[in-house]
Amino acid sequence: MSFILQRKRHRRFLKSIKRRKKYLKRKHQFSILPKKLKPYHNFIRNAISKKLPCVFSIKENTKETLSFINDVKNIKSKGKNIYFNMNKVSSIDEGTIALFVSIIKELSSKKYKIVGSKPKDKTARKILEKSGFFEHLDGSIDEENRTTSNTILTEGQSKTEQETTSKIVRKSINFLTGQENSNCRFRLQRLFIELMANAIDHGFKDRKNAKWFMSYSEGNKDSEKICKFAFVDNGRGIVETLKMKDIFEKVWQKIYSIFKGDSELLFSAFKGEIGSRTGLEYRGKGLPTIYETLQDNIISNLFVLTNRVILDFKNQKFYSIDVDYKGTFYYFELSNKNLEKNDN
């Protein structure tokens, strides 16, 4: 074999190795990029780099996760590249992923070009890939994670997409029971209608900007089937919305002499007690409907984060935090125990 032919084969071999390395690198990335910019030549080097917390979870690592979200929301350099480094993420959940998607979509609408890496931790990467994250972003999914019923929905622009959530409700009941009908079905659908209406009517100054995100995931917990839901909007937040109500604007001094802080005010709003405790004419029905759904065991483990307040109904902890979140995050679960209590 001639020396020249050997050199040509060697060059082809080196090129194939180089292509393989590029493929493996891209396999563990995600992006929102125009196709003409791919592959990512010098992208990461020139990008604003943001490293996600190792525990990326609103429920389990609230302060650090919210600080990261706020930091990303405050990026001011329009048109810049952004690189999200998820390499060290070892724990993540579907609800926080839905919130992350909402932030990425918001940045994308402002013309940011976005690339990110996936977690190296196999369990965290599996949760990310099966969550529905890649319904909204480009990226490869490992073969074993491609079959999933989990999803992340996004709607808005002054619409309450009842049919969309109705399908999810039927899907969840079918997963738990093998049937699509249950006495809980219409109560669950009403819950989603209230969540969507609150996001669209009260979360945003301009209804045209209203947008909500919802994650749905199926799994097992203590050998029991369970469906997990998270609902997110990046509007003003419930507490800030309450403060803007016409009936409250001039009487906050009186209100704060009755309630011991925002957490007690919000808890009272969920219980429908604001009117009776203040003597003011307030008949907000959305939050009490959500609370009644929990009290009637239609759902369980409700967790609410809005502005600087957390309502953790599972652990009966209602408190303020020192990191603000502009928006509202709901998490709750549905299991056979909920269905059995209401179908019998």
Side-chain angles (χ1 to χ4, degrees), residues 32 168 183 338 342:
I32 293 184
I168 294 296
N183 292 339
N338 300 116
N342 289 278

Side-chain angles (χ1 to χ4, degrees), residues 191 194-195 198 270 286-294 302 330:
L191 167 65
E194 292 296 344
L195 291 171
N198 282 348
F270 269 89
L287 299 182
T289 297
I290 297 167
Y291 183 69
E292 287 166 13
T293 308
L294 175 70
L302 177 63
Y330 297 88

Side-chain angles (χ1 to χ4, degrees), residues 105-118:
K105 291 279 193 179
E106 197 174 298
L107 291 170
S108 179
S109 71
K110 296 176 182 176
K111 310 302 181 185
Y112 288 99
K113 302 175 185 71
I114 298 165
V115 160
S117 61
K118 295 183 191 176

Side-chain angles (χ1 to χ4, degrees), residues 4 45 49 55 71 86 93 115 121 132 163 187 191 210 214 227 234 239 278 301:
I4 293 175
R45 191 186 342 177
S49 183
V55 179
D71 182 41
M86 299 182 75
D93 60 66
V115 160
D121 181 89
E163 183 55 36
R187 291 287 300 277
L191 167 65
M214 187 183 86
C227 298
N234 290 317
V239 175
T278 62
N301 299 342

Side-chain angles (χ1 to χ4, degrees), residues 64-77:
E64 191 177 2
T65 300
L66 279 184
S67 296
F68 169 81
I69 294 295
N70 289 339
D71 182 41
V72 171
K73 280 186 169 186
N74 289 328
I75 293 175
K76 301 297 183 184
S77 304

Side-chain angles (χ1 to χ4, degrees), residues 120-179:
K120 291 183 177 180
D121 181 89
K122 192 171 182 179
T123 302
R125 188 167 69 248
K126 179 180 179 179
I127 292 171
L128 180 73
E129 290 186 346
K130 292 178 79 72
S131 68
F133 183 79
F134 290 104
E135 295 170 9
H136 302 274
L137 293 97
D138 294 332
S140 62
I141 300 176
D142 293 345
E143 186 70 36
E144 64 268 25
N145 297 331
R146 289 180 184 174
T147 302
T148 179
S149 295
N150 302 347
T151 189
I152 296 174
L153 303 173
T154 173
E155 296 293 342
Q157 298 172 352
S158 302
K159 294 186 290 186
T160 54
E161 290 285 355
Q162 297 181 25
E163 183 55 36
T164 303
T165 53
S166 179
K167 288 178 182 177
I168 294 296
V169 168
R170 293 196 300 269
K171 187 177 183 179
S172 64
I173 294 172
N174 185 58
F175 170 71
L176 295 172
T177 67
Q179 303 175 19

